[in-house]
Amino acid sequence: MRQAIGVDIGGGSIRVSLFDENGSELYSHHTKTPEHLDNDSFLEVLVESIRPLVKNIIGIGVGSPGPLNNETGVMLTSANMAGLKNLPIKSVLQKEFSLPVFYENDANCAALGEAIFGTYKNTESQLILTLGTGIGGGFVKLGKLYTGYLGNGIEIGHTTSVIGGALCGCGVHGCVESYFSTKGFLNRYFEKTNTKLPNAEAFFSLVRSNDSESKSILEFGTKALAHAVRNAIQLLNPEAVIFVGGITKSYDLFGALLEKEIRSTIFSVLNDRLLLGPGGNISGTLGAASLVFVKEKN
């Protein structure tokens, strides 16, 4: 059975996994990225993270935050990894391992993995949102991933939800991920309370303890996200909208409001067939490996 490596590059770590073509994970490990990022040190960690698994595989799939160029395989910049610029991921890995390398935005990888292996795999089209450090988006129709120009399509996290709102890591004010994401929640909580929280778990713990400030931030952020999703539904008409990523572990705290706000604002003709909810949380590495399996079939 064919095997492929999937690599998921996150804001503070690299996860590498080996999969067979049925989506079964055979091995996985996790490596923290250097605290002070630069291209050379990051690429060294990336190569050494992959090396132990490179045996009897058909290729390597890599997902990372954007913006990027999926044709040349270069990460141009990253809002959450400020030390990296024009990072030549594809060429470095191809030279090192002499294998096919496929590189896409991490949200596009998540979308493809969810469409092939996930809860809503039997639907005609899927809009997938990754809720984590930031917000990513991906769109798959009839099994084909829409990537946009050079892999930068469906950047729903960087659509405007609050005109003149909070400054986003991308440099623009009012992006939806400034209000609904780990960074958004922590930054908004600091603005209100002058208290720095360490992570999303701490924020949601406050929500569960009925803390008024965190509850207010979550409610506003949920409505901001709902209307960003509403806009995307009106444009794309997907059969399923699927939420994945670490924040969905707390879906019970915001999911009902999110779904109600979305369904109450879209056209009824779209609502009649729309499936909406959390996905199977297909790992980012399986999403990246899906690039290999799909490309190798074509």
Side-chain angles (χ1 to χ4, degrees):
M1 185 176 290
R2 300 183 308 164
Q3 297 178 0
I5 286 174
V7 182
D8 183 28
I9 297 173
S13 65
I14 299 168
R15 185 174 291 277
V16 180
S17 301
L18 178 66
F19 295 94
D20 66 27
E21 59 188 317
N22 291 327
S24 297
E25 186 177 73
L26 307 176
Y27 184 82
S28 182
H29 66 86
H30 179 268
T31 306
K32 288 188 176 181
T33 51
E35 187 172 339
H36 302 290
L37 290 170
D38 62 70
N39 282 14
D40 290 341
S41 61
F42 183 87
L43 288 169
E44 182 179 353
V45 171
L46 178 63
V47 167
E48 294 309 314
S49 297
I50 294 170
R51 192 181 304 282
L53 304 187
V54 180
K55 186 179 180 182
N56 299 323
I57 64 168
I58 60 172
I60 300 169
V62 182
S64 84
L68 53 84
N69 183 325
N70 64 350
E71 292 182 2
T72 60
V74 173
M75 180 198 292
L76 302 176
T77 59
S78 171
N80 297 314
M81 293 185 285
L84 303 181
K85 189 172 183 179
N86 296 323
L87 188 74
I89 290 174
K90 184 174 180 178
S91 62
V92 167
L93 296 184
Q94 284 180 329
K95 182 178 179 180
E96 187 68 33
F97 299 116
S98 300
L99 286 163
V101 177
F102 305 99
Y103 175 49
E104 288 287 352
N105 179 282
D106 52 3
N108 285 339
C109 291
L112 186 61
E114 191 69 37
I116 295 172
F117 297 108
T119 306
Y120 299 93
K121 63 185 178 183
N122 294 321
T123 54
E124 177 253 4
S125 55
Q126 306 96 358
L127 172 66
I128 292 94
L129 281 82
T130 57
L131 309 179
T133 304
I135 296 179
F139 182 62
V140 179
K141 184 171 183 178
L142 299 175
K144 186 171 182 180
L145 177 68
Y146 173 78
T147 61
Y149 179 64
L150 301 180
N152 297 291
I154 319 297
E155 281 283 2
I156 194 168
H158 297 290
T159 56
T160 301
S161 63
V162 180
I163 294 174
L167 180 65
C168 179
C170 73
V172 175
H173 290 267
C175 292
V176 65
E177 76 170 45
S178 294
Y179 295 91
F180 196 103
S181 68
T182 296
K183 279 199 166 186
F185 293 143
L186 302 190
N187 287 340
R188 303 294 73 77
Y189 193 79
F190 180 75
E191 284 178 354
K192 284 198 168 192
T193 68
N194 204 35
T195 299
K196 288 188 176 182
L197 299 175
N199 49 43
E201 288 79 8
F203 175 80
F204 285 113
S205 178
L206 286 169
V207 175
R208 291 188 188 281
S209 68
N210 213 29
D211 171 73
S212 60
E213 298 290 8
S214 60
K215 286 179 67 177
S216 172
I217 290 166
L218 179 59
E219 181 179 353
F220 186 87
T222 299
K223 289 181 178 179
L225 175 61
H227 286 274
V229 174
R230 182 248 182 195
N231 292 341
I233 290 171
Q234 299 291 83
L235 289 171
L236 299 171
N237 303 169
E239 184 176 353
V241 175
I242 308 157
F243 302 101
V244 301
I247 287 178
T248 59
K249 294 175 184 176
S250 300
Y251 196 80
D252 63 300
L253 294 176
F254 63 84
L257 175 60
L258 178 64
E259 294 183 22
K260 178 182 178 182
E261 196 75 16
I262 292 169
R263 288 194 179 278
S264 65
T265 56
I266 62 174
F267 290 157
S268 59
V269 66
L270 303 179
N271 224 337
D272 290 344
R273 74 158 187 164
L274 180 67
L275 299 173
L276 181 63
N281 268 318
I282 299 299
S283 68
T285 51
L286 178 53
S290 299
L291 293 171
V292 181
F293 296 129
V294 169
K295 297 286 187 181
E296 287 294 301
K297 284 182 180 178
N298 295 336

